[in-house]
């Protein structure tokens, strides 16, 4: 209700200020036109009648009659009073009167139309010399108001009286009612809030009620406190009928060089299951999410990101969102919180970053049976070199220090603590031969030094030198056509590197989930990280093609395969480089405008072309249907220690029934476990001033003591008022 009241009261002031401006006698201030203008009472009374139009700056006043009394200093405009503001706001009144000091005045039959389409009315508007402005029988709606009889706006707010106290910058209301479709649905006998034109003010925000089978009935009451012009805090005590209260808070602050945002919660409670049944010890529990970024100068910046919870299921138990959001230099992983502090330096030909990372694994079982490491720190830097006609080069420096908690009760660790430093260089040059063949010779070399736990590996220090030389040949072939342009580029990459590049005692930390696919088909090293390196001889053959249709549609595809001169036991089947040849890798994307978009990536078995991995995404928008679907499947043959395929579909859609009504359906189905990780069905109503949504949500995933859950939620948004 903040915006409508402010608009009404500002409109009142606009009417008064325009009226007093019209009363000034200087021609430079006002241009007055009327059918007749006369002076009476010895010139003390100026009367303009008939199609009165007065222009003051960019503001225009129209009325049937305007009277200015020099003795009392009052100006009165009556009869179809209309004032047009520069921003497009239209103010109307039956009659307006104000004194020349803008201290006292009134407007009768006042109404206004805002540029955004809102409409506000009041039987009367009064301004007093004490600094208060009062509206009687005020009504506001942001909906289009139809002149058709019997048609009501979707929603409107009525208040018996609204008062703006300019001394305290407070707007108060008496008997305010929210009407939906002409029916009253919400009533407040009295409430107040700060004037939005006065800047940030402290106070209570809209409550957050709800219900949950796990938590019972829920009521949260946010309180907003302004700490300074550049900082604030919102504190929200939340009460539940099944468990103890939770206190949440969010702190925000801006600096001249950056900003921080930190939120968290705290409670003193036991564990509880999906039904709200409590067990275990009472403890202080909570979570904290935070981020900060600061620009030191044009070259350097630093920041931090925090994600931490007292126990694995805390955020799920209390339905707290916000985890796994990128809060810094590195992204977190699902069900894994990441805390980081980082610094970045970047110029035109140099990039460097350094970070300290700590992970919190929230999963019941880690698929790698591995305790996440703490990096103290991890560093990467690269300097680009322009070698002119000799090509381009770069020099990289990288290091990583990883350690794990060795305290009693900590999760077991396969990999020992390690410290690595790497120094490498790359070179490449591009030449175009007669006939359009593109030749790109390249070379790379890197030295790695590892300091390890001697008790775990038997060797405290491991050093290695890796490197490769090779050439990539490509031949882009183009064929313009009447209906479609075709571009086909066959490509061959051949490289030879040092043998025995991977030492079995080197812990594999940064390459556990790396897989050779079409995005790395023509890279010298099939792994972009450090712990594994693809040495020996390798040959990649593939072809990429693009079809551009004159109507705007486009299809792109790439496919190929890699051969290796020898087998490296450090590459398992999941890497797609475990034998002398890789599986076939391919990617296809097609765009037919909004009608259809397809993006597919796949890995086909090298023997029988069966699908070992497939990720297909489709989006469409036609007629009244808008939807997207993603199907994924990973065969167990390419997933070590997994006996069943990882398979599922994620589907979301909206079908528009009428201009205002639509139905939504979404499903995330796990075919492996035969359950729905998420299923949603709902109805949506929307028009130019409001949106209502009623939805049913079902989840069937089970995580230790938390199991399937059903929920029904209702959300409505009113233009200018906000979301509830």
């Amino acid at each position: 209700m903040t915006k409508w009241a402010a608009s009404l009261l500002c409109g009142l002031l606009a009417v008064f200020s325009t009226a007093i401006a019209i009363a000034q006698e200087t021609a430079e201030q006002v241009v007055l036109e009327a059918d007749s203008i006369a002076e009476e009472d010895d010139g003390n009374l100026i009367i303009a009648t008939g199609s009165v139009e007065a222009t003051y700056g960019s503001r225009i006043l129209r009325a049937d009659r305007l009277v200015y009394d020099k003795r009392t200093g009052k100006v009165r405009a009556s009869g179809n009073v209309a004032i047009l503001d520069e921003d497009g706001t239209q103010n109307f009144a039956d009659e307006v009167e104000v004194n020349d000091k803008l201290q006292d005045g009134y407007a009768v039959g006042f109404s206004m139309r805002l540029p955004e389409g809102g409409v506000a009315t009041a039987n009367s508007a009064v301004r007093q010399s004490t600094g208060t402005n009062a509206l009687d029988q005020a009504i506001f709606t942001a909906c289009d108001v139809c002149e058709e009889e019997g048609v009501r706006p979707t929603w409107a707010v009525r208040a018996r009286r609204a008062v703006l106290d300019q001394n305290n910058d407070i707007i108060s209301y008496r008997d305010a009612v929210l009407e939906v479709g002409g029916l009253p649905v919400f009533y407040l006998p009295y409430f107040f809030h700060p004037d939005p034109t006065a800047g940030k003010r402290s106070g209570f925000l809209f409550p957050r009620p709800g219900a949950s089978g796990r938590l019972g009935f829920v009521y949260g009451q946010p309180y907003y406190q302004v700490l300074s012009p550049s900082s604030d805090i919102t504190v929200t005590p939340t009460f539940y009928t099944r468990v103890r209260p939770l206190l949440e808070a969010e702190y925000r602050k801006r600096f001249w060089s950056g900003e921080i945002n930190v939120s968290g919660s705290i409670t003193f409670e036991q564990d509880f299951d999906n039904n709200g049944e409590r067990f275990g010890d009472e403890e202080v529990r909570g979570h904290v999410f935070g981020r900060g970024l600061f620009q030191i100068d044009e070259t350097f910046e630093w920041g931090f990101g925090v994600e931490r919870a007292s126990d694995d299921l805390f955020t799920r138990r209390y339905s707290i969102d916000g985890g796994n959001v990128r809060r810094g230099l590195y992204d977190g992983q699902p069900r894994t919180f990441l805390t980081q502090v980082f610094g970045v330096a970047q110029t035109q030909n140099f990039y460097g970053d350094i970070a300290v990372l700590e992970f919190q694994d929230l999963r019941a079982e880690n698929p790698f049976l591995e305790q996440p490491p703490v990096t103290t720190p991890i560093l990467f830097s690269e300097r680009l070199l322009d070698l002119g006609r000799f090509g381009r080069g770069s020099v990289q420096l990288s290091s990583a220090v990883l350690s794990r908690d060795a305290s009693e009760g900590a999760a077991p660790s396969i990999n020992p603590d390690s410290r690595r430093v790497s120094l490498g260089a790359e070179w490449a040059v591009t030449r175009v031969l007669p006939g359009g063949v593109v030749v790109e010779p390249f070379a790379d070399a890197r030295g790695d030094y590892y300091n390890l736990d001697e008790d775990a590996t038997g060797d405290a220090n491991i050093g290695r030198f890796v490197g490769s030389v090779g050439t990539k040949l490509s031949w882009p072939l183009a064929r313009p056509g009447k209906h479609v342009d075709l571009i086909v580029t066959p490509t061959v990459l051949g490289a030879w590197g040092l043998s025995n590049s991977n030492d079995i005692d080197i812990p594999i930390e940064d390459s556990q989930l790396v897989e050779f696919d079409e995005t790395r088909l023509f890279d010298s090293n099939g792994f972009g990280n450090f712990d594994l390196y693809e040495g020996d001889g390798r040959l990649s053959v593939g072809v990429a093609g693009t079809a551009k249709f004159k109507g705007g549609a486009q299809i792109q595809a790439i496919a190929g395969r890699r051969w290796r001169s020898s087998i490296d036991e450090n590459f398992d089947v999941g890497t797609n480089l475990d034998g002398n040849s890789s599986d076939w890798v391919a990617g296809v994307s097609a765009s037919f405008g909004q009608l259809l978009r397809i993006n597919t990536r796949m890995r086909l078995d090298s023997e029988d072309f069966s699908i070992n991995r497939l990720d297909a995404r489709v989006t469409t928008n036609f007629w009244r249907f808008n939807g997207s679907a993603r199907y994924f499947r990973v065969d167990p043959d390419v997933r070590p220690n997994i006996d069943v395929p990882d398979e599922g579909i994620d589907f979301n859609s909206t079908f528009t029934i009428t201009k205002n009504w639509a139905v939504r359906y979404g499903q995330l189905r796990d075919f492996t476990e035969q359950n729905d990780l998420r299923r949603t069905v709902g109805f949506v109503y929307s028009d130019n001033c409001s949106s209502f949504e009623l939805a049913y949500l079902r989840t069937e995933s089970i995580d230790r003591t938390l199991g399937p859950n059903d929920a029904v939620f209702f959300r409505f948004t009113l233009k200018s008022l906000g979301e509830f």
Side-chain angles (χ1 to χ4, degrees), residues 1-43:
M1 300 182 185
T2 300
K3 291 185 178 179
W4 79 264
S7 300
L8 246 177
L9 296 169
C10 290
L12 168 63
L13 295 177
V15 171
F16 290 161
S17 61
T18 301
I20 193 63
I22 299 305
Q24 305 300 318
E25 298 181 80
T26 305
E28 294 178 353
Q29 290 183 309
V30 62
V31 176
L32 180 63
E33 296 180 4
D35 292 343
S36 65
I37 300 176
E39 292 187 357
E40 297 182 3
D41 195 11
D42 297 330

Side-chain angles (χ1 to χ4, degrees), residues 507-647:
I508 301 175
E509 298 278 8
D510 63 6
S511 303
Q512 293 182 358
L513 299 177
V514 175
E515 179 181 5
F516 176 78
D517 57 22
E518 78 281 0
T519 64
R520 306 196 67 89
L521 181 60
F522 301 117
D523 288 353
S524 171
N525 179 21
F527 291 88
N529 298 323
F530 291 90
D531 292 336
L532 285 178
Y533 184 87
E534 188 183 11
D536 299 303
R538 56 263 194 203
L539 175 70
S540 287
V541 177
V543 61
T546 301
K548 295 183 178 180
F549 296 86
K550 302 301 183 180
Q554 180 171 295
I555 299 175
Q556 294 179 303
I558 184 173
R561 190 180 181 188
R562 197 173 186 109
W563 287 266
R564 293 174 43 80
S565 63
S566 61
I567 297 176
D568 190 333
E569 299 295 340
N570 291 276
F571 298 148
D572 61 29
V573 65
T575 66
N576 197 17
L577 291 175
D578 55 309
N580 287 113
S581 62
S582 72
D583 288 341
W584 291 94
V585 292
V588 180
S589 64
S591 174
F592 302 94
Q594 292 187 346
L595 180 63
L596 183 64
R597 296 177 185 270
I598 302 172
N599 194 327
T600 302
R601 303 175 61 193
M602 63 188 72
R603 174 178 167 181
L604 306 177
D605 190 82
S606 59
E607 300 293 335
D608 57 8
F609 291 95
S610 60
I611 298 177
N612 285 333
R613 183 187 292 271
L614 175 65
D615 191 335
R617 302 169 187 262
V618 178
T619 60
T620 182
N621 187 355
F622 71 96
W623 190 46
R624 299 182 177 185
F625 181 80
N626 184 310
S628 65
R630 176 192 175 220
Y631 171 80
F632 59 91
R633 186 182 190 278
V634 182
D635 194 89
D637 291 340
V638 297
R639 297 182 67 206
N641 305 320
I642 303 297
D643 298 327
V644 294
D646 184 2
E647 185 178 13

Side-chain angles (χ1 to χ4, degrees), residues 124-438:
S124 63
V126 179
R127 174 175 173 79
Q128 300 176 350
S129 58
T130 57
T132 60
N133 302 275
L135 304 172
D136 287 329
Q137 304 300 325
I139 304 174
F140 172 77
T141 180
C143 305
D144 291 337
V145 178
C146 301
E147 297 181 358
E148 183 179 349
E149 185 177 356
V151 177
R152 296 179 178 271
T154 305
W155 64 269
V157 174
R158 295 177 180 267
R160 181 173 61 84
R161 186 174 178 83
V163 177
L164 167 62
D165 186 345
Q166 291 183 293
N167 297 318
N168 298 315
D169 294 325
I170 291 294
I171 300 177
S172 60
Y173 305 85
R174 296 282 187 180
D175 297 326
V177 177
L178 172 65
E179 296 181 348
V180 177
L183 300 176
V185 297
F186 193 74
Y187 168 77
L188 281 174
Y190 175 80
F191 75 99
F192 65 90
H193 61 76
D195 176 6
T197 63
K200 299 192 299 181
R201 296 290 297 270
S202 303
F204 289 100
L205 304 180
F206 281 104
R208 302 191 315 202
S212 167
R214 186 164 53 240
L215 302 170
F217 291 102
V218 182
Y219 180 84
Q221 180 55 69
Y223 180 82
Y224 176 74
Q225 177 66 47
V226 178
L227 303 177
S228 73
S230 61
S231 63
D232 56 43
I233 187 172
T234 302
V235 179
T236 307
T238 304
F239 302 92
Y240 311 93
T241 57
R242 291 192 174 181
V243 297
R244 291 178 178 174
L246 180 75
L247 181 64
E248 299 176 82
E250 180 181 13
Y251 172 76
R252 304 181 303 171
K253 183 173 179 60
R254 284 187 175 273
F255 303 87
W256 68 271
S257 62
E259 64 177 343
I260 63 173
N261 186 313
V262 179
S263 62
S265 65
I266 189 171
T267 187
F268 185 73
E269 183 57 284
Q270 300 172 268
D271 284 336
F272 54 88
D273 61 18
N274 202 55
N275 299 316
E277 296 293 333
R278 290 181 281 185
F279 58 90
D281 297 330
E282 294 181 340
E283 297 179 10
V284 175
R285 305 175 187 273
H287 87 285
V288 59
F289 295 150
R291 60 177 175 83
L293 183 63
F294 304 91
Q295 190 76 34
I296 300 174
D297 56 28
E298 294 182 355
T299 302
F300 299 96
E301 67 179 13
W302 76 277
F304 67 88
V306 179
E307 292 180 341
R308 199 72 182 176
S310 58
D311 42 89
D312 297 348
L313 296 177
F314 179 84
T315 53
R316 283 196 169 185
R317 285 195 181 100
Y318 289 93
S319 300
I320 296 174
D321 296 325
N324 304 121
V325 175
R326 184 166 188 173
R327 291 185 164 88
L329 194 62
Y330 292 89
D331 288 328
Q333 298 295 322
R335 299 300 296 154
T336 302
F337 284 168
L338 171 61
T339 297
Q340 56 187 303
V341 178
F342 61 90
V344 177
Q346 186 169 8
T347 64
Q348 185 175 2
N349 56 8
F350 175 82
Y351 173 84
D353 64 60
I354 184 171
V356 176
L357 311 177
E358 183 178 14
F359 301 88
Q360 182 183 12
D361 193 345
L362 306 181
R363 295 167 293 182
E365 295 182 0
N366 190 313
F368 299 101
L369 298 176
E370 185 63 59
Q371 178 191 352
V374 176
T375 66
T376 55
I378 185 170
L379 176 146
F380 175 81
S381 62
E382 181 177 35
R383 175 65 183 268
L384 303 180
L385 304 173
D386 184 356
L387 305 178
R389 65 187 182 93
F390 297 105
R392 57 197 179 276
S394 64
V395 178
Q396 305 99 22
L397 173 65
S398 171
S399 70
V401 178
L402 293 88
S403 60
R404 289 177 168 85
D405 185 8
S407 61
E408 184 178 353
S413 174
I414 298 176
N415 291 342
D417 296 348
S418 65
R419 290 154 291 280
R420 174 187 58 81
V421 60
S422 302
L423 179 62
E426 295 179 357
W427 168 85
V429 65
T430 302
R431 295 286 185 264
V432 180
L433 303 180
V437 176
V438 180

